[in-house]
Amino acid sequence: ILLSRTTRCTCISISNRSVNPNSLEKLEVIPASQSCPRVEIIATMKKNGEKRCLNPESKMVNNILKALSKNG
Amino acid sequence: ILLSRTTRCTCISISNRSVNPNSLEKLEVIPASQSCPRVEIIATMKKNGEKRCLNPESKMVNNILKALSKNG
């Protein structure tokens, strides 16, 4: 008997809109796991707390991470 | 009158221990803001949910971010 694992990804859809690093409250990186087979990147916006899922393979995400690290 | 702003950083101390990307449940990146003047990187461990603050300027953090993005 194969037990099927329920997939529990947080992101249903991925936004391709650009995100200004300065407008971010936080960025969460959730590695691939047994509960979700793909990396998830969740941006929380300062203004309204809105959460947006971003494409981990986009250049934008790399740029955001670079920008955030430099602001320290 | 100068109103002093209370600093509310999440991290009190920063761990320099190395972290295996595979042992991470998630990684949070919190940009510098009015409530905390520095970038904060918070790693949540799979095993026990322990949270560790990492040094945003360390190579380790860059390596973790690279590793996580590739696992997708």
Side-chain angles (χ1 to χ4, degrees):
Chain A
I1 299 167
L2 277 176
L3 293 175
S4 75
R5 271 184 210 284
T6 312
T7 299
R8 296 266 179 191
C9 296
T10 305
C11 297
I12 297 166
S13 65
I14 285 178
S15 166
N16 280 312
R17 278 193 290 170
S18 71
V19 168
N20 181 339
N22 293 325
S23 63
L24 282 182
E25 185 170 307
K26 78 176 170 183
L27 193 74
E28 288 166 280
V29 182
I30 303 173
S33 67
Q34 286 183 333
S35 53
C36 178
R38 55 175 194 268
V39 183
E40 300 192 288
I41 311 264
I42 303 164
T44 306
M45 313 306 292
K46 270 183 201 164
K47 206 176 170 183
N48 50 10
E50 184 201 343
K51 290 189 179 219
R52 281 192 211 165
C53 290
L54 308 181
N55 182 352
E57 282 161 36
S58 69
K59 276 203 172 171
M60 182 179 68
V61 167
N62 280 318
N63 291 341
I64 290 172
L65 290 170
K66 269 185 211 161
L68 295 185
S69 316
K70 275 177 196 161
N71 284 341
Chain B
I1 299 165
L2 278 176
L3 293 176
S4 74
R5 271 184 211 283
T6 312
T7 299
R8 296 268 179 190
C9 296
T10 304
C11 298
I12 297 166
S13 65
I14 285 178
S15 166
N16 281 312
R17 279 192 291 169
S18 71
V19 167
N20 181 338
N22 293 325
S23 64
L24 281 182
E25 186 170 306
K26 77 176 173 183
L27 193 74
E28 288 166 280
V29 183
I30 302 173
S33 66
Q34 286 183 334
S35 53
C36 179
R38 54 177 195 269
V39 183
E40 299 192 290
I41 311 264
I42 303 164
T44 306
M45 313 308 290
K46 271 183 201 164
K47 207 176 169 183
N48 49 10
E50 184 201 343
K51 291 188 179 219
R52 281 192 211 165
C53 291
L54 308 180
N55 183 352
E57 283 161 34
S58 69
K59 276 203 173 173
M60 183 179 67
V61 167
N62 282 318
N63 291 340
I64 291 173
L65 290 171
K66 271 184 210 160
L68 295 185
S69 316
K70 275 176 196 161
N71 284 341

